[in-house]
Amino acid sequence: RVLLIDAPELGQPLAVDGEDLGFGGPTGLFSKALRDVAKTVSISALRQMGLSDNSIWNEVRLQCAQLAAANARNSREELKAAGVVVLCGCARFSGKSLRFSSGIGARAKKVHASKVLLATGSKPFHPPGIPFDGKRILDSDTINLLGFLPCSVAITGSGVVAIEFAKIFRKLGAEVSLLIRSPSPIRALVRTGMDIDVA
């Protein structure tokens, strides 16, 4: 028996029905949905039609939520077809078993598994002294909280995620500045394991 315990974090994007939109995505399905929506939406055409940036951004976010929800549902259906039981909530070790709870205050139950794989995900690095506020200064996990279509964006780093977000926001019509510490951005990509010819 294979169990997958999904523990969505506070502050992550949720669909209207409360579905975890980060389910099944390497850096969250919301960012992948934003990438795909940015490829299909013509910001300049929508502006020429007289739509305000707020209306455009609301439409972009709605399309992202719908696409991410569809992708998350698809991931759950694929797991179900493979015989994987998905439990949504929190678990902690108790001897050789796990105690699972579906939420705060919910009664915990024992879950037995012969082997346990902890796939904790990753967290973006927050350099000291930079006030991440979830409004103007965001990271790759909180970008979904952005409440407006930006005219300009500064992105720090030269890794795959930084470059992906630079391309996304450029396609959404923003002026993008990529702030790179290294004098050679190729070295940063090679450090992440990319082939020198690809980098």
Side-chain angles (χ1 to χ4, degrees):
R1 179 168 108 152
V2 179
L3 295 173
L4 172 63
I5 297 175
D6 177 34
E9 292 187 46
L10 294 174
Q12 291 300 304
L14 297 176
V16 176
D17 61 0
E19 186 168 16
D20 174 15
L21 298 188
F23 187 86
T27 56
L29 287 177
F30 188 89
S31 64
K32 301 307 172 212
L34 184 60
R35 176 198 63 200
D36 293 342
V37 170
K39 290 178 185 176
T40 61
V41 172
S42 172
I43 301 298
S44 59
L46 293 173
R47 283 179 175 150
Q48 287 175 356
M49 291 169 48
L51 290 175
S52 70
D53 281 359
N54 281 344
S55 295
I56 294 169
W57 185 244
N58 288 338
E59 180 59 27
V60 166
R61 286 179 55 103
L62 176 63
Q63 286 187 33
C64 285
Q66 290 171 341
L67 183 56
N71 288 337
R73 276 191 302 275
N74 185 54
S75 293
R76 288 181 186 276
E77 287 168 10
E78 288 176 357
L79 288 168
K80 185 178 179 181
V84 175
V85 176
V86 178
L87 303 174
C88 190
C90 302
R92 69 175 47 177
F93 287 102
S94 175
K96 292 189 176 185
S97 64
L98 291 168
R99 302 229 10 112
F100 170 79
S101 171
S102 60
I104 297 170
R107 189 165 177 242
K109 65 179 181 179
K110 273 191 179 181
V111 176
H112 298 282
S114 59
K115 295 189 178 13
V116 176
L117 169 66
L118 295 176
T120 59
S122 63
K123 294 260 185 223
F125 172 67
H126 285 194
I130 297 179
F132 288 84
D133 60 7
K135 293 178 184 165
R136 291 191 65 240
I137 303 175
L138 305 122
D139 59 34
S140 58
D141 283 350
T142 58
I143 194 68
N144 59 288
L145 300 175
L146 186 63
F148 58 94
L149 180 63
C151 295
S152 62
V153 178
I155 299 173
T156 61
S158 58
V160 175
V161 175
I163 290 170
E164 180 178 50
F165 276 110
K167 289 168 66 177
I168 287 170
F169 281 103
R170 189 65 200 113
K171 284 183 178 167
L172 289 172
E175 292 296 323
V176 177
S177 299
L178 200 56
L179 309 176
I180 302 171
R181 198 173 23 185
S182 169
S184 173
I186 290 176
R187 266 193 244 142
L189 290 173
V190 170
R191 272 198 317 272
T192 63
M194 289 191 79
D195 183 274
I196 186 72
D197 295 325
V198 174

